[in-house]
Amino acid sequence: MQSCEISSDSTDDPLSSGLRRHQQPRIVVIGAGLAGLAATKSLLENGFTNVTVLEASDHIGGRVLSVQFGKATLELGATWIHGANGNPVYHLAEDNGLLEHTTEEECSVGRISLYAKNGVAHYQTNSGKRIPKDLVEEFSDLYNEVYELTQEFFQNGKPVGAESKNSVGIFTRDLVRKRIMLDPDDSESTKKLKLSMLQQYLKVESCESSSPNMDEVSLSEFGEWTEIPGAHHVIPGGFIKVVELLVQDIPARVLRLGKPVHRIHWNYSCPEAEDNADGADHNQDQRPGPAPVCVECEDGEWLPADHVIVTASLGVLKKAHETLFSPGLPQDKALAVQKLGISTTDKIFLEFAEPFWSPECNSIQFVWEDEAQLESLAYPVELWYRKICSFDVLYPPERYGHMLSGWICGDEALRMERCDDETVAEICTELLRKFTGNQNIPKPRRILRSAWGSNPYIRGSYSFTRVGSSGGDVERLAEPLPYTKSTKAPPLQVLFAGEATHRKYYSTTHGALLSGQREANRLIELYHDLFNAETTKPNM
């Protein structure tokens, strides 16, 4: 936990003088996703009562978006609790009975998470033929061996060769291709199939990483992301149930929806904000004094604050940080925002009246044979659908009906988002007919899809360490403002949380939740000696 020192020889300590004016520090949390709600919950539980949450959209949850689709609950956002042992999201769900109806088959233990661990993935070529299961397993073993090697560069401090350009995609493609071509037992046609499968695996990998393609993912940093031991769990009632658990003890007055933020004025940069406060604090606290921070909302309201916790996604920070903060972010923090990566991974749900797939099939994987020799996969605008890597079968059918979930990422996902439902449904139907060889597959009864890239309050799915970035950039992104060397200024004016600020667990729901708790703990520790939380417990 980072500590912020205040100059001890100053008689006008900005922290204690602020507390003399306000019995409670004024805290604004921007964003009601997992990070923002976790921070708010921790603050309230530790006696802070002047807390306001500003959420730009009309609902809580952020990148958790569970949608009722007939009898089924579909996840347009977060789907799995990744790992169990020590995962706070898992323990929250398990302790509150959210996993009671999760079937054993839904507890996937593989690295590539599927909706059911049972069954077989059907790898189909664009000529409508299924690749034999033994060939798939043979290739999968080879790919996973190379995947393990990609982890060693960070974990063992292994130097990265110049030929890989520090890229996971380039390293993996080159090494797997080399091993395929050197195998004396494979025919030329088998080698071509394996080379085509390699491209498909890299598409799946980029969907998991939420990167445009694996060539953009840093090889030297890839192994820092830490997997929590245990299975991946689906929450039958929807991931939103975790959000509801976090929010259930947060008073309604704290949450303000439909409240996008225009600018955060920090370090006393906006004295006129007091004139806009109408003489009242935003959470019915004592009279406002000079605020080190003022949050300017898009509707013209100003909220004075002692501390602001920003949980905006990396995508929003990339788009808006130059105008969102006044004064602007320090150069090293702005550079970290620029260097770290975020892309879009979207889902396409298709509902059918009857299954056209066999009972043991748990997914349909699209293998384009004409992509065997391609380098980085980039498609013309009209061929965006080639980036759809697979359709998973949702399990069990008693819960979901006959439902498939397709995956697409990168710029192609953004192009998909710009199409209408009818177009996407037709294209997906044609793809399924083409790859299965079954021309009788009907159009789906209904379609539902995500649109994270074009959501102005999200702008992407989750973060990754792009080539040229490192875990150090994640740390810089997470560092509060002003930096600790600015000892004369009030500490912890602007704090940062969200999955992109967690060095080991970026891209995950538990990373988001832990980051919110981390920033709340900074404030709890800061006020420990000056503010006795036990005597000011909030009235829930």
Side-chain angles (χ1 to χ4, degrees), residues 150 153 160-175 202 213-222 376 465-468:
T150 65
F153 292 96
V160 174
E163 66 280 358
S164 73
K165 299 180 181 176
N166 197 25
S167 160
V168 172
I170 293 174
F171 174 84
T172 302
R173 196 163 47 243
D174 288 353
L175 186 52
L202 287 171
N213 55 70
M214 291 308 291
D215 287 22
E216 294 199 25
V217 180
S218 172
L219 181 60
S220 60
E221 307 300 313
F222 196 45
S376 183
T465 43
R466 191 162 58 185
V467 174

Side-chain angles (χ1 to χ4, degrees), residues 179-188 191:
R179 293 191 180 184
I180 288 171
M181 298 312 294
L182 290 175
D183 191 331
D185 299 325
D186 282 347
S187 65
E188 288 305 309
K191 288 178 180 178

Side-chain angles (χ1 to χ4, degrees), residues 203-220:
K203 289 180 193 177
V204 173
E205 199 79 67
S206 58
C207 279
E208 290 228 325
S209 296
S210 196
S211 58
N213 55 70
M214 291 308 291
D215 287 22
E216 294 199 25
V217 180
S218 172
L219 181 60
S220 60

Side-chain angles (χ1 to χ4, degrees), residues 31 63 72 103 145 155 169-170 228 269 283 285 301 307 389 401 412 416 454 456 466 476 487 521 535:
R63 283 167 274 180
T103 63
E145 283 176 20
Q155 293 172 359
I170 293 174
I228 291 180
S269 64
N283 220 349
D285 200 13
E301 184 179 4
H307 311 282
C389 59
E412 294 79 10
M416 182 276 294
S454 51
R466 191 162 58 185
R476 276 182 283 281
T487 54
N521 284 336
T535 62

